[in-house]
Amino acid sequence: MLRLLRWLVLGLIGVVVLALAGLWLWWQLDEPLSAEAQAWLVPDRRVVADADNAYLAMLAFDSSAPQPLPHAALVQARLDALNREPRPVADHEYAAVLADLKRGKPGGTFPDVCKRDSPSCLADLQQPELIALRAQRSQSLARYQAMLAMPQFLNRSPRVILNYAPPFQAHALYDTLIVADVVAGNWRSAWSRWSEQQLFWLRVAEHPGDLITLMVANGHLERGVRLLDEMLSWRPALAASIDQRGRDALAGSAEVSAWLVQAAPGELRFAAHILKRVTPINALREHGWRSLPESVVIAIWLRPNQTINRHQRQLAAELTRLGLMRAPNDAADHLACDGPVQWWTADWANELMVCAGAGDWAGYQQKLERLQRRSQAVLERLDRANGAGIDRRAVQ
């Protein structure tokens, strides 16, 4: 009996050793990161002074900490350090760092302004309720105006950590100042405010760091062009006071083809960041027992480098299909996510992870193209109005 028990124990130990050896061998089969994926994973490390980086101002926009901009720089440095950790980082660790910003909770209600189905931005922006809020939120408006003047926007974080609601509301309050200038006949001031705001959101769109930030910037830009179009219908003489900065802002939002290409590496960095956190321990901590089986299976079968390489090829293939990137030489090696996951293949977990993160890039492109068409239409409208004005002055 003892001999049988001993053989059973030795057999179990042998099975465990063989299983661990098999897993070790499986993980050794992980491929190296491709040169393309490695290039996409390296964040933008241009030297940008903290005082110039509007990303930090947006990070601390609703912060009650003293000297919020330098404080946000310290918080960002701690977030960068967490992102460089070789171990998986849990959500509560990020939350503890962000808590130092002492972000304020929004109080009261804010009217819906310039929604896509709203009949008129001008009518929305002249609501007495909104004008009253402008006085009540003067500090938020002052922060927004200071942020617009910052010459850079550089987002290096692989995680979406910004709260876009406070800047969105401040944008609406700022728009009421533009409309008030037009009502008072201060057209040059209106143009200056409008151009400054559009050029700021163009800077955001050019270095967004992730798709969410790009789509937020696109929404702000589109709303600004829509407001300008309405103001030109309301006060046609406004067209005569256009300055070069205003034309540059419109021209910039009419050239949006490269923005998705710039956002794609941020999506890959975010996916790689998530892969580092797929562990049974994190699954238990963040989602409870129900997520444990799936996490264990993925953690066992996942080969991170292979998954990152496949994800990079998937993004590059999608951008190439949309005509935004040149086709690479290994076009046959592209990954397609338009079919069912092949559960019986050896790397089904990798395929599942990549395809689950594949977004509708064509839909994003359509949103950008809508801004492009609207901006081009307003540019043409300004050319016609100014040309007619020149003709009338020549006749007189």
Side-chain angles (χ1 to χ4, degrees), residues 260 360-371 373:
L260 280 177
D360 180 13
W361 289 73
Y364 297 127
Q365 186 186 36
Q366 290 170 6
K367 292 179 181 179
L368 295 174
E369 288 176 345
R370 187 169 56 230
L371 167 65
R373 290 192 299 270

Side-chain angles (χ1 to χ4, degrees), residues 17-350:
V17 170
L18 286 175
L20 291 176
L23 287 176
W24 179 85
L25 180 61
W26 171 256
W27 290 329
Q28 297 312 301
L29 295 176
D30 192 10
E31 61 195 44
L33 281 174
S34 67
E36 294 81 3
Q38 186 64 52
W40 282 31
L41 286 174
V42 176
D44 190 345
R45 295 296 183 188
R46 290 178 299 125
V47 177
V48 175
D50 293 342
D52 295 337
N53 191 0
Y55 174 79
L56 297 177
M58 197 178 292
L59 179 64
F61 193 86
D62 53 348
S63 170
S64 61
Q67 297 183 312
L69 192 61
H71 201 76
L74 295 176
V75 168
Q76 183 63 57
R78 292 175 61 193
L79 290 172
D80 287 341
L82 277 179
N83 293 329
R84 288 193 296 268
E85 286 282 348
R87 63 177 178 83
V89 180
D91 282 346
H92 68 86
E93 296 179 81
Y94 288 104
V97 174
L98 293 173
D100 288 348
L101 287 171
K102 300 179 181 177
R103 286 170 164 169
K105 294 183 179 179
T109 59
F110 197 93
D112 287 340
V113 180
C114 294
K115 295 291 186 181
R116 192 172 300 281
D117 56 352
S118 176
S120 168
C121 272
L122 277 172
D124 288 351
L125 292 169
Q126 296 180 83
Q127 297 177 59
E129 179 185 3
L130 194 59
I131 305 301
L133 276 174
R134 190 174 71 198
Q136 295 173 16
R137 303 196 180 186
S138 58
Q139 183 180 5
S140 176
L141 183 58
R143 282 195 179 190
Y144 183 75
Q145 290 179 290
M147 187 173 70
L148 294 182
M150 300 177 77
Q152 298 284 348
F153 184 93
L154 182 62
N155 178 359
R156 292 199 302 261
S157 175
R159 306 181 74 242
V160 180
I161 57 177
L162 295 177
N163 180 6
Y164 296 104
F168 184 88
Q169 295 177 358
H171 183 164
L173 300 177
Y174 189 81
D175 282 347
T176 65
L177 295 176
I178 298 174
V179 175
D181 279 338
V182 174
V183 171
N186 300 325
W187 294 341
R188 290 192 181 278
S189 175
W191 265 117
S192 178
R193 292 183 193 274
W194 183 89
S195 302
E196 183 177 41
Q197 181 167 243
Q198 292 295 105
L199 290 171
F200 169 77
W201 288 107
L202 278 174
R203 292 194 289 276
V204 176
E206 288 166 355
H207 297 284
D210 53 68
L211 272 174
I212 292 179
T213 301
L214 174 58
M215 288 298 104
V216 168
N218 184 71
H220 282 278
L221 288 167
E222 188 173 3
R223 197 175 75 171
V225 176
R226 176 186 171 188
L227 173 61
L228 175 59
D229 199 20
E230 287 193 42
M231 289 193 300
L232 289 171
S233 297
W234 186 39
R235 296 287 192 271
L238 176 64
S241 61
I242 183 175
D243 58 7
Q244 189 57 45
R245 293 179 76 235
R247 292 193 64 86
D248 289 345
L250 281 169
S253 57
E255 295 292 338
V256 299
S257 59
W259 291 355
L260 280 177
V261 177
Q262 292 163 349
E267 294 304 294
L268 185 69
R269 286 194 292 271
F270 181 64
H273 173 78
I274 291 296
L275 290 177
K276 292 195 302 181
R277 299 174 61 245
V278 180
T279 67
I281 299 285
N282 275 355
L284 276 174
R285 181 186 290 121
E286 296 174 19
H287 305 293
W289 286 101
R290 285 182 295 180
S291 65
L292 185 59
E294 179 185 4
S295 181
V296 167
V297 172
I298 292 178
I300 289 174
W301 287 101
L302 184 67
R303 290 182 289 182
N305 289 352
Q306 184 194 58
T307 307
I308 292 170
N309 289 342
R310 289 167 66 87
H311 198 171
Q312 189 273 331
R313 291 197 299 269
Q314 160 65 25
L315 291 178
E318 182 67 7
L319 293 172
T320 301
R321 185 181 68 81
L322 295 173
L324 302 176
M325 289 181 64
R326 291 182 301 174
N329 295 329
D330 58 342
D333 197 27
H334 288 159
L335 173 69
C337 289
D338 54 357
V341 174
Q342 307 300 319
W343 295 95
W344 57 86
T345 60
D347 58 350
W348 65 267
N350 305 52

